[in-house]
Amino acid sequence: MAEKEATTYIVDVGASMGEMHNGRNVSDLDFAMTYVWDKITSTVALDRKTAMLGVIGLRTDETVNELESEESFENISVLQEISNVLLPDLKQLQDKIVLSGTYSGDAISAIVIAIQMITKQCKKLKYNRKIVLVTDGRGALDADPSSIAEITKKIMQDNMTLVILGVDFDDPEFGFKEEDKDPQKAQNEETFKALVDSCGGIMGTMQQAVEELGMPRLKATRPVPSYKGLLTLGDPAAYDSAACIDVERYPRTAIRRPMTASQFIHRSDPGDDDIKSSMTFLGDGDTEMPDANANANAGDLSNVKNSRTYQVPDETAPGGKKDVDREDLAKGYEYGRTAVHISETDENVTKLETQAALELIGFIPWANYDRYMSMSVSCIVIAQRTNTKAIMALSSLIHALFELESYAVARLVPKTDKAPLVLLLAPSIEVDYECLLDVQIPFTEDVRSYRFPPLDRVVTVSGKVITEHRNLPNEALAKAMSDYVDKMDLSALGRDDDGNPSEYMPMTETFSPVLHRLDQAVRWKAVHPTEPVPPPYEILTRYSQPPEDLLSQSKRRLEKLVAAADVKKVPPKVQGRRRNRNEVKPLSGLNVEALLGGSKKTVRISSQNAVPDFRRAVNNAGSVEEIQSAARQLGSIVEARIKDSFGDIAYARAIEEITVLREEMSEFEEPEIYNDFARGLKRKLLSEELGGNRKDFWWEFRKSRLGLIDRKASENSMATEEDAKEFWSLK
């Protein structure tokens, strides 16, 4: 379970925050809110009930707090009590956090109110307590030493963290110092510095905080054990000498997925809470659709729910189909083009009954293992934490594997009746802990062996080995490539803090643009729904292009490589180059085919080899009629394939054949042949002439963008862009 968090943000909205300093084109308040909004939206994105926050306005026009009767707490307003913040709360906060017209308000008193809010919410429970003060330091402070001492005592007593971020505060470590600083601001900075030093807090300049927003946030997760039990060597039930060690297995690395989007619909009637999306499933096919379980927090959105209806053919029912319950359906396995039914009773016999276990089944030397055999992310195996005997036993196994330079192979069943896995266990010895690292390795059936021709020689049919061939690189090309690779070496391109060569792309600084760019865009749109998304952070695009220095120093090597490889630009594809092509005639002027008695015959297209046969037919066609004949044959094969398809098993092949037909007709500048076929196919699909309801194929057809060839794509087409758009409507 994630730790509980309670954070209070104190935002200075005084009149001085409306000024612009140090060449910025935004006010100090907008500049500071860049940091605050980023932190708040990050907390909202966690969607955790244990992550709560509150917001206090400092130097506001009004006074709204529990201590408002006291003079020192004037012009301080609680804008958001500590609670879970959702998107509607963000909208309300945006309306509340506005520039005020006053310069009055004590930041020290605001910290007192923040402490009171956290104490009231958290009580004596275990929370990560944090107070963040954002200010320009230009307001008056009540720097009474006794009051500050009491605040420090309370912060340390409740284990709170105080963070003070100032706009244009001096920070020697960051390298920023404001020139011609206002004396009152300088004095306030000293007071804040003394406060954070006394309570172990953090103080910094807002410039550094905003710059560090581009650093992606790494999500810390609490590991959950995937196995708790015995690690055995031998059969403990049969042999007393078998070794048994109590161990626990945890994930060491995991793949982080980007956040997913849910489907919502704009609410047309405020009384409608849910919108249902129904889909019909026929008896010969079943399609699962994701259910949108997310809550629509915005007032103009509503959830989309899916309802499933299963139907089977029935001539006596209205429409020729009747509804059936899911409980009445039986499982069937595809065997060729037939569905084989296996009852629940028989299916239980096919399941492998297993017991949770981690059993060592062998050992292999390090040199005998190929890295490509690893099939999964890594996990860690440690001894039971409170079991001293198990810790010593596992340590002995780890050191034995390390000294013998060997890996252990184990069989893992994480839970009872789960499928067994084969793991490779590697010893890992660190200063403060020892463990076994494991990855999944394949069974025999998981290994696929492919044979490829050698890259350094050509072997003829007769077995002769040729080392010089037009498809093989010569010595000049090999040397040019080697020199270019050496010039593009990244291994020592980076520099450390002392200027010494270091790794150019350290793993700790290489982040996934897909994950963090999407996260940045969502957080920005949550606060600025009408503004365009800003460009990605520099750290996300830093390694998207080769370094300029490397490109410049390797330019000559690249030119030599291009010359050695005789690289030439491929001419652009010419549309319709084969329709009016001039056939090459022999120099003798004789018709060789006529002399040999050959004659062109209409090629018969078979369904087993449809695409090659069709291409051969159109390439050998001497007239438009022969092209039309070949297209009709392929169209008939496609329709038969759809009609006879068991579920969607033949859809991919049909889509491939339609794609080839469209490409060839576009290249031969005969778009109407394809357009006639496409219109006919649509009509037959909608009228259920191709084996019943085949609308699922229509969606595959549409997803592949195999619509009409319009005039924009081919000048010979009779279909306009409007016709092409109208074609997609189910009418």
Side-chain angles (χ1 to χ4, degrees):
M1 182 178 176
E3 295 181 348
K4 298 179 180 180
E5 301 175 5
T7 304
T8 300
Y9 294 92
I10 304 173
V11 181
D12 190 346
V13 295
S16 61
M17 290 288 285
E19 302 174 7
M20 293 184 288
H21 297 92
N22 287 305
R24 292 187 294 268
N25 56 2
V26 295
S27 66
D28 292 348
L29 178 60
D30 291 337
F31 179 61
M33 288 307 298
T34 303
Y35 170 83
V36 176
W37 286 131
D38 186 270
K39 293 299 181 181
I40 292 178
T41 52
S42 298
T43 304
V44 174
L46 294 176
D47 193 22
R48 280 180 18 217
K49 292 183 178 180
T50 56
M52 298 182 291
L53 62 89
V55 180
I56 297 174
L58 171 62
R59 295 200 292 171
T60 57
D61 291 325
E62 300 177 348
T63 302
V64 182
N65 60 77
E66 293 185 357
L67 304 176
E68 59 185 17
S69 58
E70 300 183 24
E71 183 179 355
S72 59
F73 292 95
E74 292 181 352
N75 300 107
I76 300 175
S77 300
V78 177
L79 306 180
Q80 170 71 44
E81 293 286 352
I82 297 180
S83 63
N84 295 114
V85 176
L86 303 176
L87 188 58
D89 301 322
L90 284 180
K91 305 294 184 184
Q92 296 177 9
L93 274 176
Q94 282 184 290
D95 297 335
K96 295 178 180 178
I97 300 179
V98 292
L99 195 67
S100 70
T102 182
Y103 290 86
S104 302
D106 179 24
I108 302 297
S109 300
I111 294 176
V112 173
I113 295 177
I115 294 174
Q116 184 186 35
M117 290 173 59
I118 292 178
T119 304
K120 179 180 178 181
Q121 173 64 38
C122 303
K123 301 180 176 62
K124 297 295 183 180
L125 301 177
K126 185 178 180 181
Y127 272 84
N128 289 335
R129 300 168 169 87
K130 188 175 183 180
I131 299 173
V132 180
L133 170 62
V134 176
T135 179
D136 63 354
R138 297 178 184 274
L141 291 182
D142 182 8
D144 181 22
S146 60
S147 300
I148 292 180
E150 289 295 324
I151 293 173
T152 300
K153 180 180 178 181
K154 182 62 176 177
I155 289 176
M156 298 185 68
Q157 179 181 345
D158 290 354
N159 198 22
M160 298 182 187
T161 301
L162 176 62
V163 178
I164 299 179
L165 296 175
V167 179
D168 298 329
F169 275 22
D170 293 343
D171 191 338
E173 294 182 2
F174 180 66
F176 178 83
K177 180 176 178 61
E178 185 180 21
E179 301 296 336
D180 301 325
K181 188 184 293 291
D182 179 65
Q184 184 179 8
K185 181 177 180 179
Q187 183 179 357
N188 290 344
E189 287 187 30
E190 294 178 1
T191 303
F192 287 139
K193 180 66 175 174
L195 175 60
V196 297
D197 288 344
S198 61
C199 65
I202 301 171
M203 178 175 167
T205 182
M206 184 59 68
Q207 282 84 337
Q208 181 180 5
V210 172
E211 285 187 15
E212 291 181 353
L213 293 179
M215 181 64 67
R217 299 164 179 79
L218 301 182
K219 184 178 181 181
T221 57
R222 178 170 293 183
V224 177
S226 57
Y227 173 78
K228 280 187 175 183
L230 293 176
L231 169 63
T232 61
L233 177 59
D235 185 2
Y239 303 99
D240 296 336
S241 58
C244 299
I245 306 173
D246 292 300
V247 296
E248 300 174 358
R249 181 174 182 258
Y250 294 90
R252 182 180 179 89
T253 59
I255 300 175
R256 182 180 172 186
R257 308 290 183 184
M259 64 176 67
T260 56
S262 301
Q263 292 182 342
F264 297 97
I265 190 172
H266 284 280
R267 190 192 303 271
S268 57
D269 183 3
D272 296 337
D273 293 332
D274 297 309
I275 305 297
K276 288 189 177 181
S277 172
S278 62
M279 177 164 287
T280 301
F281 297 80
L282 300 182
D284 58 354
D286 186 8
T287 304
E288 294 290 337
M289 290 190 63
D291 187 13
N293 293 323
N295 293 324
N297 295 319
D300 59 341
L301 295 178
S302 179
N303 290 339
V304 176
K305 293 185 178 180
N306 299 319
S307 63
R308 300 181 177 90
T309 303
Y310 299 89
Q311 294 181 338
V312 295
D314 187 354
E315 297 180 357
T316 62
K321 299 180 181 67
K322 73 172 183 178
D323 295 344
V324 294
D325 295 332
R326 182 179 177 87
E327 290 75 17
D328 298 333
L329 302 179
K331 285 187 177 181
Y333 294 86
E334 293 182 13
Y335 186 72
R337 294 181 59 186
T338 309
V340 178
H341 168 61
I342 298 181
S343 64
E344 243 181 81
T345 306
D346 294 334
E347 192 172 12
N348 291 333
V349 179
T350 65
K351 291 183 178 179
L352 179 65
E353 296 182 359
T354 57
Q355 297 295 326
L358 179 58
E359 304 165 339
L360 296 179
I361 57 178
F363 304 91
I364 60 171
W366 292 353
N368 291 359
Y369 179 74
D370 297 319
R371 292 288 297 272
Y372 64 81
M373 301 293 286
S374 301
M375 295 177 56
S376 67
V377 297
S378 59
C379 293
I380 183 173
V381 177
I382 61 174
Q384 196 177 61
R385 302 182 185 184
T386 58
N387 192 330
T388 307
K389 182 179 179 181
I391 294 173
M392 292 295 296
L394 185 64
S395 177
S396 300
L397 175 61
I398 293 171
H399 280 268
L401 290 174
F402 183 80
E403 293 172 6
L404 296 176
E405 298 184 351
S406 298
Y407 296 130
V409 180
R411 175 182 179 272
L412 170 67
V413 179
K415 294 181 180 179
T416 302
D417 291 335
K418 290 286 186 179
L421 306 173
V422 178
L423 303 180
L424 184 83
L425 303 175
S428 177
I429 301 175
E430 302 293 340
V431 177
D432 51 348
Y433 72 94
E434 301 171 346
C435 67
L436 290 172
L437 302 178
D438 74 70
V439 292
Q440 183 182 349
I441 57 177
F443 287 97
T444 302
E445 295 82 1
D446 299 326
V447 178
R448 300 289 186 270
S449 298
Y450 299 95
R451 299 190 65 179
F452 297 94
L455 300 177
D456 58 347
R457 62 190 183 279
V458 174
V459 182
T460 63
V461 178
S462 61
K464 183 179 179 181
V465 178
I466 301 174
T467 57
E468 293 185 3
H469 190 269
R470 60 185 178 85
N471 293 335
L472 297 177
N474 54 34
E475 292 184 5
L477 178 58
K479 185 178 185 307
M481 176 59 76
S482 177
D483 294 342
Y484 178 66
V485 170
D486 291 341
K487 282 293 183 180
M488 291 291 288
D489 186 14
L490 291 171
S491 58
L493 188 66
R495 291 290 183 271
D496 58 16
D497 296 337
D498 299 329
N500 300 319
S502 63
E503 185 180 1
Y504 173 67
M505 294 175 60
M507 186 176 295
T508 54
E509 297 180 10
T510 308
F511 302 95
S512 170
V514 176
L515 294 173
H516 303 292
R517 173 59 173 165
L518 179 59
D519 181 58
Q520 176 195 5
V522 171
R523 286 188 283 108
W524 176 268
K525 278 295 184 180
V527 182
H528 311 88
T530 59
E531 298 181 17
V533 179
Y537 295 123
E538 182 272 337
I539 195 170
L540 299 181
T541 59
R542 180 180 300 171
Y543 305 117
S544 60
Q545 298 292 336
E548 292 294 335
D549 296 342
L550 206 62
L551 290 177
S552 60
Q553 73 181 21
S554 61
K555 184 177 180 180
R556 291 184 57 191
R557 299 292 183 183
L558 179 60
E559 293 173 352
K560 292 183 178 180
L561 176 61
V562 171
D566 193 21
V567 178
K568 297 179 181 178
K569 185 177 181 180
V570 178
K573 188 175 181 181
V574 180
Q575 290 291 337
R577 66 181 186 275
R578 294 186 290 181
R579 185 183 181 194
N580 299 316
R581 67 189 185 279
N582 296 321
E583 296 185 1
V584 179
K585 296 182 179 180
L587 296 176
S588 63
L590 299 176
N591 189 333
V592 179
E593 288 192 357
L595 291 175
L596 297 177
S599 61
K600 290 187 177 181
K601 296 181 180 179
T602 303
V603 178
R604 183 70 179 174
I605 302 175
S606 65
S607 60
Q608 290 79 14
N609 199 34
V611 171
D613 286 351
F614 175 71
R615 291 187 187 275
R616 186 164 55 252
V618 295
N619 286 334
N620 295 332
S623 63
V624 177
E625 289 73 17
E626 293 182 7
I627 296 177
Q628 291 175 339
S629 174
R632 282 195 296 269
Q633 291 185 61
L634 184 61
S636 300
I637 291 173
V638 170
E639 293 176 358
R641 209 178 294 285
I642 298 171
K643 184 176 181 179
D644 299 335
S645 175
F646 181 79
D648 60 354
I649 193 171
Y651 286 179
R653 194 168 179 182
I655 290 294
E656 178 191 5
E657 292 164 351
I658 297 174
T659 303
V660 172
L661 175 60
R662 192 178 192 274
E663 291 175 352
E664 293 294 329
M665 292 304 100
S666 178
E667 190 171 349
F668 273 92
E669 296 186 0
E670 295 293 345
E672 287 306 306
I673 296 179
Y674 174 79
N675 291 345
D676 292 341
F677 161 77
R679 293 187 183 100
L681 179 64
K682 175 186 175 182
R683 176 180 54 79
K684 293 179 181 180
L685 287 173
L686 298 184
S687 59
E688 300 186 359
E689 297 179 22
L690 300 179
N693 189 338
R694 293 288 184 177
K695 289 184 180 179
D696 50 348
F697 179 81
W698 172 256
W699 298 117
E700 294 292 333
F701 182 82
R702 181 169 184 172
K703 185 172 66 175
S704 301
R705 299 181 180 179
L706 297 175
L708 300 180
I709 304 174
D710 56 19
R711 291 175 184 171
K712 187 177 180 180
S714 176
E715 295 179 355
N716 294 338
S717 176
M718 302 298 294
T720 63
E721 292 188 35
E722 290 73 17
D723 296 334
K725 293 179 181 178
E726 181 66 23
F727 174 76
W728 292 121
S729 63
L730 292 177
K731 295 181 181 178

